[in-house]
Amino acid sequence: MLGLRNLLPLLALSLGQGASAFVYNTFDGEGSPSCHNVTEVHNATSVDEIASLVKDAKERGLRVRAAAQGHHWYDAQCSDEETMIIRTEFVNGIEQFELEDGAESGSVVIEAGTTFLELSSWLHERNANIGTGLVNWNISLGGCVAMGAHRTSLRESAVVVGGVLALDIIDGNGEIRHIEKNEDDDEWLAASTSLGLLGIIARLKLSVYPETKVWAKQQILDEDDVFNGNLTDLIAPYETANLWWWPYKKKFHHRYYDSVPANTSDQEGFQNTFSVTDLEAGAAKALLDSGKVLPSSNWLAEEIFFGQWEKPNFRDKRTNEPIDEFPVYGWNYDVLIGGLYEGQKPVWEHGLRGYTLELAFPMTRANEMLKRVRELFDAEAKKGKIMAATYRSGVNIKFGKSHYDFLGQVTTGTADGEDWSQGAIMFDFPSYRPSWGDQKRYNEEFYIKLANTLIDEFTCRPHWTKNTRDVLKRASKHVDPEYLARFKVIKDDFDPEGIYRNVIGEILGLYE
Ligand SMILES: Cc1cc2nc3c(=O)[nH]c(=O)nc-3n(C[C@H](O)[C@H](O)[C@H](O)COP(=O)(O)OP(=O)(O)OC[C@H]3O[C@@H](n4cnc5c(N)ncnc54)[C@H](O)[C@@H]3O)c2cc1C
Ligand SMILES: *[C@@H]1O[C@H](CO)[C@@H](O)[C@H](O)[C@H]1NC(C)=O
Ligand SMILES: *[C@@H]1O[C@H](CO)[C@@H](O)[C@H](O)[C@H]1NC(C)=O
Ligand SMILES: *[C@@H]1O[C@H](CO)[C@@H](O)[C@H](O)[C@H]1NC(C)=O
Ligand SMILES: *[C@@H]1O[C@H](CO)[C@@H](O)[C@H](O)[C@H]1NC(C)=O
Ligand SMILES: *[C@@H]1O[C@H](CO)[C@@H](O)[C@H](O)[C@H]1NC(C)=O
C-alpha cells in the first residue's frame, strides 16, 4: 500500500498538471487574454536558445508561440491547447549594417524581438532609417511581419514586410530556414504574412535608407468631401497619409506626411502617440466609463478628443516644448511614430482599455464602404441611439498599397472579382472598453451589426491581430481558397506536426 508520504508527490503532480496552465495577456494586461492555456514562458536570450526551446517543446508535445510586446487585441495568439510561450524581447541584436555614402539604400539584419524604437534609434545614430514600414514604437518587427502589420500609404509600400529582403524562420523541427524575397517562390509568399504558422521569425534582413526629415500636415474635411471625393487623390500623393473620422461631429482629420532633405528645417518634432498625464487619464476614464450607459458622455468625449487632435500632438524633442502649428518637421521616426512624452505613461498603463475592429476593402469600393458605415450610424440615430468615437484619435481610416503574398490584407490577384491592385482602405474602429459591469459598450449590438454587415456586403479582409474570433470566423470566407491551399503546402512542410498552430490557423481550416 502506498503511504501518505508516497501519495503526496503523486497528488501534487496530477493536480499540478491541470492547475499549471494559465492565461497569458495582451499589452492590456489582466483581463485581456491572448492565450488561455499557457504552461510555461521563457525569456529567450539568443536565436540558438529559441531553436533548442522549440525542439524541447516538440519532444514534450507542447505547442509553441512566440511572444514579443503583446501589442494585439484579442485571444487569437495561441490555440487553446497547452502552449509554451517563447518571449523574444531579449533576442534583439542588430548587425550587418551596410549603407554606402551616397547610396540610395542599404541593409541591416535584426533579431526577432527588435522593436521599432530600438532599431530606429540605432539607425538614426548611423544617419539612416527604415523608410515607411513603421507601425508603433514599442512593437517588435518580428511580430509585425508575422501578422501582416502595416502603416498607411498608397504611394509607398505600407506593409512592414515591404522592407524585408530575407527572413530566417525556425521551423517545427527547431531548424533554421533562410528565405529570400522572391515573388515567384511560394515559400516567400507564405513567409511574407505567415501568422507565425511556419515558425518563429528569428532574423530579418531589412532595407535601410539615408536619414531624412519629415513634415506632417493636417486639415479638417467634411464628411461630404470624403464620401464623394476622390480618396486616391487625398492619400496617394504623400509618403504616408490617413483620415481620422469623428462620426458624431461628422468631420475627418486628414493627416499627411512627406520626406524632405535633412537641412530643410532645424525643428525636431516628436509625436505623442499614446501618452497622457495622470490627470487626463483619470478624467477620460471617468467620462468614458459613464458613456457605457450615458451616450451624451461619449458625445462629449468625442468633442474633447477632436479638439485635442486639432492641435499638433508634437513637442520639440530638444526642449520638450509643445509645437502649436502644422507643418511640423522632425526626424523620420520621431514624426511618423514618436512615442511617450517624458513623465507620461501610455493610456493602457492608466487602465484605459480598448476593443477594435479592422477590415480592409479594395480602394475601388472605398466611397461606397464609408457611405454604408454612415448609413449604419444614421440608422442608430433614427432609433435615438446617437453613436460617437470613444477613442482618442477617432476612427482610423488607413490605406495600403497592394503587396502580393498569400495571406496579407493588401494582396492582389485573388479570385474574388475585386480589383485590389489600386490598394486598400482600412476601416479601423477602436473603442473604449468600459472598466465596469460586463465591460460591454453603450449599444454593443451596433458594433456587432456593423462588423457583420460590412463583412457580408463587401469583399473585405481582416487584420490578423485586431479582430475578435467571431469577426475572424465570419471574414475567413473572403480569403482566397487557392492562396490558402498554397499556403498550407508550405505550412505542412515547415511545421508538419502543427506545433505553431493557433486559433487563426484553425479558423482558416489549415489543421483539418
Ligand atoms: C496600440 C496599438 C497600435 C497598433 N497599431 C497598428 C498599426 O498601425 N498597424 C498595424 O498593422 N497594426 C497595428 N497594431 C497591431 C500590431 O502591429 C500587431 O498586433 C503586432 O503583431 C504586434 O507585435 P508584437 O511585437 O507586440 O507581438 P505580440 O503581440 O507579442 O505577438 C503578436 C503575434 O505575432 C506572433 N509573433 C510575435 N513574434 C513573432 C516572431 N518573431 N515570429 C513569429 N511569430 C511571432 C505571436 O505569436 C502573436 O501571434 C497595433 C496594436 C496596438 C496595441
Ligand atoms: C521575463 O522578462 C520580463 C521583463 O520583460 C519579466 O517581467 C519576467 O519576469 C521575465 N520572466 C522570467 C521567467 O524570467
Ligand atoms: C489545455 O490543453 C489541454 C490539451 O493540451 C486540454 O486537455 C485542456 O482542456 C486545456 N485547458 C484549457 C483551460 O483549455
Ligand atoms: C515597452 O514595452 C515593455 C513591455 O510591455 C515595457 O516593459 C517597456 O517599459 C516599454 N517601453 C517603452 C519605452 O514604452
Ligand atoms: C481618382 O483620381 C485618379 C487620378 O488622380 C483617377 O485615376 C481615379 O480613377 C479617380 N478615382 C475615382 C474613384 O474617381
Ligand atoms: C541642403 O543641402 C543641399 C545639399 O545636400 C543643398 O543643395 C541645399 O541648398 C541645402 N538647403 C538648405 C535650405 O540649406
Side-chain angles (χ1 to χ4, degrees):
M1 224 189 103
L2 287 171
L4 194 57
R5 199 184 291 212
N6 306 82
L7 207 56
L8 272 176
L10 274 179
L11 248 179
L13 197 69
S14 58
L15 279 177
Q17 268 178 348
S20 67
F22 51 91
V23 168
Y24 192 77
N25 293 312
T26 70
F27 75 120
D28 267 334
E30 198 70 12
S32 307
S34 67
C35 303
H36 295 286
N37 203 348
V38 172
T39 53
E40 51 200 270
V41 179
H42 299 275
N43 279 338
T45 55
S46 68
V47 169
D48 286 346
E49 190 189 347
I50 300 179
S52 61
L53 283 165
V54 168
K55 287 180 183 155
D56 177 48
K58 186 191 165 196
E59 261 168 39
R60 292 158 54 214
L62 290 173
R63 305 216 186 281
V64 183
R65 288 297 297 185
Q69 300 292 341
H71 268 252
H72 61 267
W73 298 75
Y74 295 106
D75 57 346
Q77 176 168 6
C78 300
S79 75
D80 288 337
E81 289 169 25
E82 289 183 348
T83 302
M84 170 197 284
I85 293 278
I86 303 179
R87 296 191 68 242
T88 59
E89 181 174 350
F90 307 109
V91 185
N92 59 350
I94 303 176
E95 54 205 24
Q96 297 176 44
F97 172 68
E98 281 177 20
L99 181 63
E100 305 285 331
D101 260 357
E104 273 178 28
S105 68
S107 62
V108 70
V109 174
I110 62 167
E111 291 178 338
T114 309
T115 63
F116 290 100
L117 176 64
E118 290 165 346
L119 178 59
S120 309
S121 51
W122 195 94
L123 289 175
H124 181 69
E125 283 169 22
R126 290 156 182 84
N127 209 17
N129 67 50
I130 62 163
T132 55
L134 296 162
V135 169
N136 202 333
W137 84 96
N138 205 6
I139 304 190
S140 75
L141 279 96
C144 281
V145 168
M147 304 312 290
H150 51 81
R151 78 177 278 118
T152 171
S153 183
L154 287 175
R155 190 182 84 190
E156 313 293 334
S157 182
V159 280
V160 180
V161 73
V164 173
L165 301 168
L167 293 169
D168 280 350
I169 295 185
I170 299 172
D171 70 13
N173 293 315
E175 304 299 333
I176 295 183
R177 307 244 204 141
H178 182 77
I179 305 162
E180 302 265 336
K181 177 173 186 164
N182 173 5
E183 290 189 345
D184 295 325
D185 175 8
D186 278 17
E187 277 193 9
W188 167 258
L189 296 172
S192 166
T193 305
S194 66
L195 313 181
L197 302 178
L198 306 186
I200 297 179
I201 298 171
R203 293 189 194 90
L204 306 93
K205 182 177 182 185
L206 302 166
S207 296
V208 296
Y209 308 93
E211 179 64 311
T212 56
K213 283 220 163 161
V214 170
W215 54 248
K217 296 182 191 172
Q218 180 167 285
Q219 61 173 338
I220 297 175
L221 298 172
D222 289 328
E223 281 191 347
D224 184 57
D225 299 334
V226 173
F227 294 166
N228 298 307
N230 183 320
L231 287 155
T232 303
D233 284 350
L234 217 49
I235 303 299
Y238 308 106
E239 183 168 315
T240 173
N242 72 312
L243 297 165
W244 279 295
W245 189 1
W246 306 95
Y248 173 72
K249 294 197 56 84
K250 304 193 169 170
K251 301 264 184 215
F252 286 84
H253 278 120
H254 173 219
R255 178 75 70 88
Y256 46 112
Y257 306 83
D258 227 321
S259 288
V260 283
N263 61 358
T264 307
S265 163
D266 66 358
Q267 199 176 46
E268 293 195 20
F270 181 84
Q271 177 161 196
N272 165 5
T273 338
F274 292 102
S275 62
V276 286
T277 63
D278 292 351
L279 200 70
E280 286 167 342
K285 198 168 177 211
L287 186 62
L288 291 167
D289 268 338
S290 73
K292 176 174 168 51
V293 287
L294 280 179
S296 54
S297 297
N298 299 333
W299 310 338
L300 178 60
E302 196 188 290
E303 286 283 358
I304 295 171
F305 292 146
F306 178 88
Q308 288 173 340
W309 213 248
E310 187 77 357
K311 285 175 276 175
N313 52 326
F314 286 83
R315 288 187 183 175
D316 194 293
K317 207 177 166 176
R318 297 159 301 184
T319 59
N320 212 25
E321 286 300 312
I323 294 172
D324 301 324
E325 280 176 19
F326 288 105
V328 175
Y329 295 87
W331 296 110
N332 169 284
Y333 171 86
D334 294 342
V335 171
L336 295 179
I337 301 279
L340 299 178
Y341 290 159
E342 247 178 74
Q344 300 190 359
K345 286 188 292 197
V347 285
W348 49 90
E349 286 180 25
H350 286 288
L352 287 107
R353 309 269 180 254
Y355 294 113
T356 197
L357 163 83
E358 186 189 309
L359 300 168
F361 305 79
M363 273 310 280
T364 48
R365 304 195 62 188
N367 299 77
E368 197 188 330
M369 182 276 288
L370 292 173
K371 286 179 190 169
R372 185 68 179 113
V373 176
R374 168 43 69 200
E375 267 176 25
L376 292 168
F377 276 119
D378 288 348
E380 292 310 298
K382 279 213 189 83
K383 289 189 268 168
K385 295 187 170 169
I386 301 172
M387 305 302 292
T390 54
Y391 197 71
R392 68 192 283 263
S393 50
V395 181
N396 197 349
I397 309 293
K398 292 183 286 193
F399 299 83
K401 186 178 177 173
S402 62
H403 172 88
Y404 174 46
D405 61 14
F406 292 148
L407 298 183
Q409 247 190 324
V410 292
T411 195
T412 50
T414 46
D416 52 29
E418 301 283 351
D419 175 10
W420 292 87
S421 69
Q422 297 174 48
I425 178 170
M426 285 86 168
F427 180 77
D428 176 1
F429 189 8
S431 52
Y432 181 73
R433 184 169 103 203
S435 68
W436 60 282
D438 59 7
Q439 305 205 349
K440 295 210 166 108
R441 296 159 284 197
Y442 169 73
N443 197 10
E444 178 74 22
E445 317 85 77
F446 168 71
Y447 293 89
I448 295 162
K449 188 166 85 191
L450 173 69
N452 291 348
T453 306
L454 291 177
I455 295 168
D456 292 348
E457 292 183 7
F458 292 85
T459 305
C460 61
R461 300 174 180 153
H463 188 294
W464 297 117
T465 69
K466 291 190 161 190
N467 291 295
T468 60
R469 291 184 181 195
D470 285 346
V471 167
L472 292 171
K473 272 183 206 142
R474 200 171 186 114
S476 65
K477 63 184 169 218
H478 296 303
V479 176
D480 189 80
E482 191 220 318
Y483 284 9
L484 198 56
R486 283 163 70 188
F487 181 87
K488 185 170 188 301
V489 171
I490 306 298
K491 191 274 294 170
D492 287 344
D493 174 55
F494 272 65
D495 183 26
E497 292 171 29
I499 70 169
Y500 292 112
R501 159 181 193 151
N502 74 355
V503 295
I504 307 178
E506 289 167 357
I507 287 168
L508 292 174
L510 292 166
Y511 297 91
E512 280 155 19

